[in-house]
Amino acid sequence: MESLPAKKRAWIWPAVIMAVCLAVYVARAVAFHPDILTLDEERYLDCAKRICAGYLVTDDNPDFVNGPGYPLVLAPFVKAGLPLYWARAMNAVWIGLCGVLLFATIRHYANIPWAVAGALWTVLQPSLMRLGPFLMCEAFMMFCVAAFVWTFCRAQRAETRVFWHCLLAAVALLAMVMTRVMFGHVTTVMLILTLLALPFVKKLRRPVGRTALIMGLGLTLCLPYLAYTKAKTGKTWCWSTNSGELLYWVTSSNPGENGFWYCEYDALNHPDLAPNHRAFYERVMKLPVLEREAAFTEKAKENLRTVPPQRLAYNWLCNVCRMAFGFPRAFMTEEISRGVMVAFNAPLLLLLLAASVVWLMRPTSVSAEIPLLGLVALVYLGGSTLPPALIRYAMVVTPLEWVVVSAVLWRNVEVRLRPVGFAGDKRREDERQKA
């Protein structure tokens, strides 16, 4: 057992992590505060304004491009009429809280160096720092994922008040789903998998059953949103209304394309895209939202029937690479920063591969919640490779990945440098001299 001073010293690190995040991301928000809205900022702000007015979408335009999670975070700033840099600076708090929760989670399964490395690696990764000064959902999403990981692990270890621990994890899961609706599909898949597995995993019935309970409670909490989308669109289990457009781009096989997504402006004006997409876009973008979605979906299905499987596989492989390293992006000049992302992300991918191999060799060496978290990450990442993928999609599950890597490798792998004069070295030297 650690001494009391050692425990106190361990909790200095969360303060350091929070201070680093506040210093770095507030400074970036001040230094790079743009004068105009960029990226997805306008969409999130418009959604926040509608929430302040008491609705999410209108009957004549039921366009659910994103969930209400991040717009709800922006709504108080919009309601108070505060300058946008306050909302942008708030990203520093979300990222700092993500680092603190991740440190606390890893610390339960590994030592302090692993916890510090995982937390700082997560909060200082280049993709996140790049988005830090903007009104993008990733900073808040990272906090939601870290909160889910922390509450999920506590629910799995709890001996009393199990339902309330599971409910708290389900609330964190709700925040994840409402911020990135892909997690709605992940939650559904995880619930089905755990329920199917329950009769066959007698020794793991407790962790698998608690996982099923968390997923079931999470989906139950999502029912008001699903009821709202059903009322507005007429579709059951409708998480979003832009999946058709995403599938359209990922199944496109025109020369030079590789499944990358382009906005309407590019489809109409880009010299390499317009000849193949302008006519279709000019027609479908005039349609109401649901008809437009149906048109995109029908075209994507046509592509699936007519495009050679190897061409679709190529687009999918490009998606995987884009999600891991940020490239290739068709008809775009790659920036030198992509090399930084490769250098930063490749070691974590290697650690994930090593942890997977070690766990397959010694599956009982870690607590059952660790592979279950790994399964959540795997389902999410696998599903995210099907539509056009970006590096920021993979970035948000970094807290999940670091908990798995830390728990598996710290418990099973030890790396030591042999001292000079090691007996084996002397024996080999004697053998060489005799030869």
Side-chain angles (χ1 to χ4, degrees), residues 365-383:
S365 62
V366 293
S367 302
E369 62 265 23
I370 300 302
L372 286 168
L373 282 176
L375 182 59
V376 172
L378 185 62
V379 172
Y380 170 77
L381 292 172

Side-chain angles (χ1 to χ4, degrees), residues 78-297:
V78 173
K79 190 74 172 178
L82 295 174
L84 291 182
Y85 60 77
W86 287 107
R88 289 185 171 117
M90 189 65 189
N91 286 345
V93 177
W94 300 126
I95 296 170
L97 291 173
C98 167
V100 170
L101 288 172
L102 181 56
F103 174 90
T105 306
I106 296 176
R107 185 66 190 90
H108 184 83
Y109 300 100
N111 60 8
I112 290 178
W114 272 104
V116 173
L120 290 179
W121 189 290
T122 298
V123 300
L124 296 179
Q125 56 184 301
S127 301
L128 184 58
M129 292 186 68
R130 191 173 188 177
L131 295 173
F134 305 108
L135 298 180
M136 300 289 286
C137 71
E138 277 69 29
F140 179 67
M141 186 70 214
M142 298 279 283
F143 161 71
C144 294
V145 172
F148 169 74
V149 172
W150 185 71
T151 54
F152 179 87
C153 292
R154 284 179 62 87
Q156 295 288 357
R157 301 194 303 265
E159 298 296 338
T160 60
R161 306 180 69 182
V162 174
F163 176 81
W164 296 108
H165 282 284
C166 290
L167 180 60
L168 187 60
V171 171
L173 183 60
L174 170 68
M176 290 168 58
V177 175
M178 291 296 100
T179 306
R180 177 150 291 167
V181 292
M182 170 60 78
F183 280 102
H185 302 291
V186 175
T187 305
T188 304
V189 171
M190 284 297 300
L191 177 61
I192 294 171
L193 291 178
T194 49
L195 288 177
L196 290 176
L198 269 177
F200 307 101
V201 288
K202 293 182 179 180
K203 293 183 178 180
L204 298 175
R205 187 160 293 171
R206 169 174 151 168
V208 173
R210 291 187 182 185
T211 303
L213 177 59
I214 291 169
M215 299 299 159
L217 288 172
L219 284 177
T220 301
L221 295 174
C222 292
L223 289 179
Y225 174 76
L226 292 172
Y228 185 74
T229 61
K230 167 75 171 177
K232 295 297 183 181
T233 66
K235 294 183 178 181
T236 302
W237 218 252
C238 175
W239 298 100
S240 174
T241 55
N242 75 326
S243 57
E245 183 179 4
L246 297 177
L247 291 175
Y248 167 80
W249 284 108
V250 82
T251 57
S252 183
S253 61
N254 295 303
E257 296 181 21
N258 57 14
F260 188 66
W261 176 86
Y262 291 94
C263 65
E264 180 185 358
Y265 179 84
D266 287 336
L268 296 175
N269 299 285
H270 194 289
D272 294 305
L273 296 169
N276 299 310
H277 300 282
R278 181 190 290 124
F280 179 74
Y281 254 79
E282 286 179 341
R283 177 172 63 84
V284 301
M285 296 308 288
K286 297 176 182 178
L287 299 174
V289 171
L290 298 181
E291 294 180 30
R292 183 177 70 212
E293 171 71 2
F296 275 119
T297 302

